[in-house]
Amino acid sequence: MSQPVTTKVLVIGYVWPEPQSSAASGHVMQILDTFLQQGWDITFSSPAGPGEHKADLTALGIREVPIELNNSSFDVFISELAPDIVLFDQFMMEEQFGWRVEKYCPDALRVLETSDLQSLRHARHQRLKDHLKACPDQDDFSALFAPALREEFELMADTDLAKREIAALYRCDLNLMISEVEIELLVEQFGLPRQLLHWCPLMIAPPTTATKAFEERAHFLSIGNFRHAPNWDAVLWMKSTIWPLIRQQLPHAQLHIYGAYTPPKATALHNAAQGFHVMNWAEDALQVMSDARICLAPLRFGAGIKGKLVDAMLCGTPSVTTPIGAEGMHGDLPWPGAVTHTTTEFANQAVQLYKDKARWQAAQKAGDHLLGERYQRIVHGPALIEKLRYCQEHLTALRNNNFTGSMLRHHMHKSTQYMSQWIEVKNQKT
């Protein structure tokens, strides 16, 4: 009796996953785990060098194959591998390798894991810079936090990054979106067909141990990779205005800031006398989150959803954030802590939540409920597999219905072909 054919998956990563350093890598690992549970054959490739906290994929049964940009050796590699599914981790990998996948594995299902809409994050960053330049001492950031989707579109539409990113989304057969808000932005404003987008948020297994009680916890915590611009801006905002306001009301309060790849500019902010502690990388992020009473996430720009805030719920730690931090995360359910618009409001809510046991416990319960309603691995894992299988079975029809994507793939393939021919002729003349 013949054995069933195993689905072969090639993942092309912008970086090698570091789940202890970033939520984006954590999401990739959740997707890989979902594939492994299906018994799929997985190869992970990346042109990046291994990072300091790289996950050991080989220990999970995943092949690791380094690749290079603009190197024809990739053509031989992918031809011999002949994957059924190619997953691009971030749209730049689709730009770099998508035309080679199209040429050598045209029947492979092309999937893009977006993590977040980078063009949205960058446009919001520019808006914040403009706002701070015009109003450097303003306390209220409401204008940044609640724009209509049409305003976001107008902010993004003329940028080179948005045009590149949207084109990559069209060229793929399926795009994994972590935020429902971003799905609506793409469908309602950019006009992408909804069938190209699949909601795939963080996928969490329920906690196996009881969370610590109010009395067992102390201090405030903030966490996030320092290389991620929204996290660095949050640290600066806390240092300059938020934390001094909290210390006025809680003179002995301590803030512990953890983050991978701590730069000297961050270490220079450490001031024990002010209770402002830059702690570098946390080897066990869930442990330090479980010890803290409150998680602070004062994000003034960004996109996607925030892994640190899901981790806070998982650890039973209430959080104080902004509408940017909470965006796409809780639907119609109450936030497990507070969502604020101003510097003063952020500090006041953090202090009240830190001191009020009953309110703190209510926030903890809200986090438990939110996790169960929106982030269960046993729900989103099977839904992802079902969607991928449907796309494989109906690939021809899906591509026929996505003429814009077919057109963009055609022109990308032709342009790279013409460029290769031009380089060859030039080399012959020289």
Side-chain angles (χ1 to χ4, degrees):
M1 185 174 181
S2 61
Q3 294 295 319
V5 177
T6 300
T7 298
K8 289 193 289 185
V9 181
L10 170 63
V11 181
I12 304 177
Y14 181 68
V15 296
W16 296 95
E18 295 189 21
Q20 299 301 319
S21 299
S22 74
S25 283
H27 192 228
V28 170
M29 294 299 294
Q30 291 165 5
I31 293 171
L32 293 176
D33 181 64
T34 300
F35 294 168
L36 287 171
Q37 290 181 22
Q38 299 299 311
W40 290 359
D41 183 275
I42 307 172
T43 301
F44 195 104
S45 298
S46 177
E52 187 176 338
H53 309 297
K54 172 185 169 298
D56 185 358
L57 299 180
T58 57
L60 301 175
I62 299 172
R63 282 186 299 277
E64 298 182 0
V65 180
I67 53 178
E68 296 180 8
L69 298 174
N70 303 316
N71 192 316
S72 59
S73 62
F74 179 82
D75 304 345
V76 178
F77 159 65
I78 195 170
S79 297
E80 293 178 349
L81 182 63
D84 303 296
I85 299 173
V86 177
L87 175 68
F88 303 101
D89 174 30
Q90 300 195 29
F91 83 91
M92 295 85 75
M93 293 298 94
E94 192 281 335
E95 283 187 324
Q96 291 289 341
F97 296 98
W99 69 274
R100 295 183 184 275
V101 173
E102 175 75 8
K103 182 177 181 180
Y104 295 100
C105 296
D107 296 327
L109 183 69
R110 301 159 59 102
V111 183
L112 176 59
E113 150 63 5
T114 60
S115 294
D116 65 9
L117 275 182
Q118 295 188 38
S119 51
L120 175 61
R121 170 160 40 90
H122 282 260
R124 285 173 167 175
H125 194 184
Q126 185 58 51
R127 180 168 57 198
L128 172 64
K129 291 177 182 178
D130 295 341
H131 181 88
L132 293 176
K133 185 176 180 180
C135 313
D137 299 320
Q138 188 168 343
D139 173 79
D140 191 343
F141 292 91
S142 299
L144 302 180
F145 294 152
L149 291 182
R150 185 65 190 179
E151 293 179 54
E152 300 285 34
F153 169 77
E154 292 173 352
L155 191 69
M156 300 165 62
D158 197 40
T159 65
D160 175 72
L161 191 61
K163 293 169 184 176
R164 290 171 52 200
E165 189 167 26
I166 301 301
L169 296 175
Y170 266 112
R171 287 192 297 263
C172 289
D173 303 307
L174 186 67
N175 300 278
L176 307 185
M177 307 300 302
I178 205 165
S179 167
E180 293 166 305
V181 172
E182 293 179 0
I183 292 177
E184 294 309 309
L185 174 64
L186 291 171
V187 172
E188 300 298 331
Q189 301 301 322
F190 285 94
L192 263 79
R194 193 175 291 273
Q195 62 266 26
L196 290 180
L197 309 173
H198 176 72
W199 182 46
C200 183
L202 297 174
M203 299 180 282
I204 306 299
T208 56
T209 58
T211 55
K212 290 186 177 180
F214 179 84
E215 294 83 3
E216 298 177 280
R217 298 168 179 254
H219 309 315
F220 295 88
L221 173 138
S222 183
I223 193 166
N225 192 322
F226 284 107
R227 288 179 176 176
H228 192 52
N231 293 336
W232 174 238
D233 176 72
V235 171
L236 294 177
W237 190 19
M238 285 189 290
K239 177 69 174 181
S240 63
T241 53
I242 293 175
W243 187 244
L245 291 175
I246 291 176
R247 287 275 286 191
Q248 285 178 13
Q249 300 181 64
L250 297 173
H252 301 294
Q254 305 292 311
L255 171 61
H256 296 161
I257 300 175
Y258 293 89
Y261 301 104
T262 310
K265 64 182 180 180
T267 305
L269 299 179
H270 178 87
N271 190 318
Q274 297 174 353
F276 197 90
H277 302 272
V278 179
M279 308 292 287
N280 300 318
W281 180 66
E283 186 172 347
D284 189 339
L286 295 182
Q287 179 61 53
V288 297
M289 182 70 79
S290 296
D291 291 337
R293 186 174 292 179
I294 305 293
C295 172
L296 303 181
L299 297 162
R300 293 190 287 192
F301 72 98
I305 64 175
K306 314 304 177 290
K308 62 175 71 64
L309 295 176
V310 171
D311 284 348
M313 297 178 219
L314 190 63
C315 296
T317 307
S319 60
V320 182
T321 189
T322 66
I324 291 290
E327 182 181 85
M329 292 198 66
H330 62 116
D332 297 327
L333 298 174
W335 184 256
V339 179
T340 66
H341 294 76
T342 72
T343 304
T344 302
E345 183 187 9
F346 191 101
N348 289 342
Q349 290 291 334
V351 170
Q352 292 174 27
L353 198 56
Y354 191 88
K355 294 165 58 178
D356 189 334
K357 179 179 177 180
R359 185 180 171 192
W360 187 92
Q361 290 175 328
Q364 188 181 69
K365 290 180 180 179
D368 292 340
H369 182 62
L370 185 51
L371 278 182
E373 289 294 315
R374 291 178 64 87
Y375 298 103
Q376 288 195 61
R377 180 179 297 180
I378 60 172
V379 173
H380 295 293
L384 173 59
I385 297 302
E386 181 181 354
K387 185 68 173 182
L388 292 173
R389 286 176 171 158
Y390 175 86
C391 290
Q392 285 183 292
E393 293 171 4
H394 300 86
L395 186 57
T396 300
L398 291 172
R399 288 183 174 176
N400 287 340
N401 291 332
N402 179 20
F403 177 78
T404 300
S406 298
M407 178 179 62
L408 290 171
R409 286 198 304 273
H410 170 81
H411 282 285
M412 171 176 269
H413 178 68
K414 287 297 183 183
S415 63
T416 53
Q417 185 181 51
Y418 295 151
M419 180 61 70
S420 298
Q421 293 173 349
W422 180 82
I423 293 174
E424 184 178 348
V425 171
K426 183 178 180 181
N427 289 339
Q428 290 175 352
K429 288 182 178 180
T430 57

